[in-house]
Amino acid sequence: MAGNKIGVLLLAAIALSGTVPALAAPAGKDMQFARTKKYALGGIDRWDYLGIDPVRHHLFISRASHVQVLDTDTGKQVADIPDTDGVHGFAFAQDRKLGFITNGHADTVTAFDLDTFKAVATIQAGGRDPDAILYAPGLMRAFVSNGESNSVSVIDAANARVIATMDVGGKPESLAADNAGMVFVAIEDKNEIVAMNGKTGTVAAHWPLAGCDEPSGLALDAASRRLFAVCSNKRMAVVDADSGRMITTLPIGGKPDAAAFDPVFNTVFSANGGDGTLTVVHEDDPEHFRVTQNVSTQAGARTLAFDADTHSIYLASAKLGKRPAPTSQAPHPHPPVQAGSFVILLVQPEL
């Protein structure tokens, strides 16, 4: 009943002001989140990263060799971007109205128009298996993790070409960037974070992550200078983004692959595909953090996209069939996606 009253007040405020007021948790309580919607998209293709364009309200979903685009206002598919062989991740350069897609099997990055979804350039990635990608607006550059080359490439958005490639000494995964030109990457097989100077395209430091196995997802609180790495041993590592000092580790769910930070709520999210949960961590101050909630999602929901405007989290999952027997061509085969089971899940703050 209280939630309904808050909802009525929120709608009244929107009607009077024409804007959405800032959300806030009740006094003395942490903001709570809940799974609110499920969108069925179908298809039997596997998936990896999700990406959000908050300006046009579009969610981008990697589907093996193509990209599905969902209207986040209606939940309907509005486009399908073809020719993205081995698609992994997305980045958005709003200053140029460009999106970037990494194509792991083709070793390329597709640059496309955010309004029309049409490809405008195909960029050689600078390494094998381009995976995670991040756009740093202050630098007007995109940074690409090359999973099989142990490197991170730098793309000049103005010219759509690689201008530098940095050897990071291990398998790079997710990236994060601050507002001062520093870029960070989780190194999965070395249990560390590498700090890079995004302006010069050089590696600045290697920071070991004690107590964190196989870090994958990475998020940053730029204001308090804290990095959050999610790890396969069900821990989230909190690290000083200036010195690499380990602040603490916190319990999360199994098989995480993505993290996000909400600067309004001072909240970190970890998508845990192993047990189908979204761990919510609150930053009380730069030295103290608490797990406040484990939201039930769905097994397999290991990646996420965070919409900072609406504080919404999108996750993807599907039911999987029996894993095929290994062959010489496919020594580590993935279990197939069951037809009609692929879904997008929406998690939102409770009002």
Side-chain angles (χ1 to χ4, degrees):
M1 200 58 145
N4 290 337
K5 290 180 179 178
I6 294 173
V8 170
L9 291 174
L10 177 63
L11 291 173
I14 294 171
L16 290 172
S17 68
T19 61
V20 179
L23 298 174
K29 295 183 179 181
D30 296 309
M31 180 62 73
Q32 295 292 296
F33 295 82
R35 203 184 88 182
T36 58
K37 293 181 182 179
K38 178 190 291 187
Y39 304 116
L41 294 184
I44 59 172
D45 295 317
R46 294 186 64 85
W47 70 98
D48 196 2
Y49 289 110
L50 306 174
I52 191 84
D53 175 1
V55 174
R56 295 160 188 81
H57 308 281
H58 289 153
L59 178 72
F60 293 78
I61 307 154
S62 60
R63 297 302 301 274
S65 62
H66 64 110
V67 175
Q68 292 176 296
V69 186
L70 195 74
D71 184 315
T72 58
D73 290 330
T74 65
K76 303 296 185 181
Q77 183 172 328
V78 293
D80 195 287
I81 303 173
D83 304 322
T84 58
D85 191 17
V87 54
H88 286 297
F90 309 96
F92 305 97
Q94 298 292 354
D95 53 337
R96 295 189 172 274
K97 296 185 179 180
L98 282 180
F100 298 94
I101 303 169
T102 55
N103 309 313
H105 293 167
D107 297 337
T108 61
V109 176
T110 299
F112 68 97
D113 186 294
L114 284 173
D115 290 323
T116 66
F117 310 111
K118 300 297 184 183
V120 298
T122 299
I123 307 164
Q124 292 300 313
R128 298 189 308 276
D129 190 23
D131 192 345
I133 184 169
L134 169 82
Y135 183 71
L139 299 172
M140 292 184 289
R141 294 175 174 179
F143 296 82
V144 183
S145 292
N146 301 310
E148 294 184 11
S149 294
N150 293 349
S151 66
V152 171
S153 294
V154 186
I155 295 176
D156 181 348
N159 300 311
R161 64 183 181 90
V162 171
I163 58 173
T165 299
M166 296 171 278
D167 184 345
V168 293
K171 186 178 185 298
E173 282 282 338
S174 295
L175 300 135
D178 64 13
N179 300 317
M182 293 301 294
V183 180
F184 309 91
V185 63
I187 307 298
E188 187 176 39
D189 58 347
K190 299 295 184 181
N191 298 349
E192 66 180 21
I193 291 174
V194 167
M196 299 166 285
N197 186 319
K199 297 177 182 178
T200 62
T202 57
V203 170
H206 291 257
W207 295 330
L209 296 176
C212 169
D213 296 339
E214 300 176 327
S216 53
L218 189 67
L220 171 69
D221 176 356
S224 70
R225 309 295 298 165
R226 293 294 179 260
L227 286 159
F228 309 95
V230 296
C231 318
S232 68
N233 58 328
K234 300 185 178 183
R235 305 297 294 182
M236 175 187 289
V238 185
V239 177
D240 187 305
D242 293 318
S243 67
R245 175 175 65 95
M246 178 71 76
I247 308 298
T248 189
T249 66
L250 298 144
I252 58 174
K255 296 184 179 179
D257 200 29
F261 178 74
D262 185 335
V264 174
F265 294 157
N266 287 330
T267 299
V268 195
F269 305 99
S270 171
N272 315 309
D275 52 3
T277 60
L278 179 77
T279 299
V280 183
V281 172
H282 189 265
E283 179 181 340
D284 295 335
D285 60 54
E287 297 292 319
H288 299 93
F289 303 82
R290 296 176 293 114
V291 174
T292 59
Q293 197 178 4
N294 282 290
V295 183
S296 178
T297 56
Q298 182 174 316
R302 68 188 190 281
T303 57
L304 64 81
F306 172 65
D307 187 335
D309 291 342
T310 63
H311 311 280
S312 300
I313 303 100
Y314 295 86
L315 308 102
S317 189
K319 296 179 180 179
L320 302 180
K322 183 179 179 181
R323 187 184 300 273
T327 65
S328 56
Q329 290 78 23
H332 305 290
H334 294 296
V337 171
Q338 294 184 11
S341 70
F342 182 80
V343 294
I344 295 297
L345 308 173
L346 177 60
V347 173
Q348 296 176 294
E350 290 187 313
L351 295 177

